[in-house]
C-alpha cells in the first residue's frame, strides 16, 4: 500500500506529499521518506543533505533561496513542529508559470510536505512560535551557487498571511529582480 499521497500543485513539477500513518493505542507510525515512491513524484536523486531549522518567532520569513546549476537541487520540506506557510516560486527560464508562486500550510498535524523541483526559490513564514522544519536536499549546499529572491519581490507579489516580524539581515538585503530577468537555466 502506498505510504504517500502525491498531489500535483498548480506549478509544473511542484508536488504536495501527504504522509499516511498507522495509528494505534501507542500513537502512530508514518514513513517519512521512500526513495521508490518519491522518485516517481520527482525526488529522483539520492538525498545529499538533510537540514533542520528552528524558527522561534511567529511571522518570521526565511528565504527565498535556490541554487544555480550545476548545484540546483530538489527539496522536500516538512514541518515537524508548529505551522508554516511554505512558498515556492517558479524561476525556470521558459516555464509557462515563470515567476508564479504557490503557497501551502505545512504543519506537524497535517503531515504534508512540499516537494520542490530544481529551478524554484523556496521560503516560508511561520504561523506560530517555535516552528521546526526538516529539509531533504538532493544536492550539497554550495554557497557560491546560492541565489535569492526578496520575500517582497514586486514581480512575484507573494501574499504572506501575516505581517513579517523577522528576517535575516541577508534576506532583508536581497535586491529586486532586474527588469530583464529571464529566469534560470537548469
Ligand atoms: C542552507 C545552509 C546554510 N548553512 C549555513 C549558512 C549560514 O551561516 C547559516 C544559516 O544559513 P541561512 O541564513 O541561509 O539559513 P536560512 O535562511 O534558514 O536558509 C534556508 O532556508 C530557506 C527557506 C531554504 O529553503 C534553504 O534550504 C536554506 O537556504 O547556516 C549551512 O551551513 N548549510 C546549509 O545547507
Amino acid at each position: 500500500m502506498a505510504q504517500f499521497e502525491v498531489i500535483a500543485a498548480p506549478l509544473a513539477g511542484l508536488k504536495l506529499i501527504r504522509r499516511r500513518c498507522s495509528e494505534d493505542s501507542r500513537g502512530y507510525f508514518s514513513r517519512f521518506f521512500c526513495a521508490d515512491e518519491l522518485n516517481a513524484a520527482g525526488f529522483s536523486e539520492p538525498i545529499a543533505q538533510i537540514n533542520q531549522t528552528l524558527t522561534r518567532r511567529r511571522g518570521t520569513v526565511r528565504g527565498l533561496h535556490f541554487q544555480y546549476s550545476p548545484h540546483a537541487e530538489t527539496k522536500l520540506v516538512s514541518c515537524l513542529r508548529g505551522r508554516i506557510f511554505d512558498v515556492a516560486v517558479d524561476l525556470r527560464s521558459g516555464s509557462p508559470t515563470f515567476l508564479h508562486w504557490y503557497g501551502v500550510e505545512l504543519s506537524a498535524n497535517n503531515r504534508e510536505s512540499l516537494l520542490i523541483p530544481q529551478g524554484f526559490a523556496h521560503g516560508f513564514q511561520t504561523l506560530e512560535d517555535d516552528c521546526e522544519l526538516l529539509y531533504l536536499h538532493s544536492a550539497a549546499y554550495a554557497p557560491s551557487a546560492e541565489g535569492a529572491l526578496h520575500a517582497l519581490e514586486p514581480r512575484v507579489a507573494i501574499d504572506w498571511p501575516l505581517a513579517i516580524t523577522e528576517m535575516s539581515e541577508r534576506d532583508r538585503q536581497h535586491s529586486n529582480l532586474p527588469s530583464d530577468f529571464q529566469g534560470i537555466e537548469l
Side-chain angles (χ1 to χ4, degrees), residues 55-67:
T55 305
R56 296 196 186 286
R57 192 172 167 200
R58 178 177 183 266
T60 302
V61 168
R62 287 184 187 253
L64 293 98
H65 305 148
F66 62 95
Q67 293 195 159

Side-chain angles (χ1 to χ4, degrees), residues 49 51 53 62-65 73 75 77 122-124 135 137 141 146 168 170-171:
Q49 286 179 351
N51 294 327
T53 58
R62 287 184 187 253
L64 293 98
H65 305 148
E73 54 185 338
K75 276 180 201 169
V77 180
H122 171 253
F124 66 90
Y135 313 65
H137 297 256
Y141 177 55
E146 203 174 28
S168 67
R170 187 171 72 102
D171 283 343

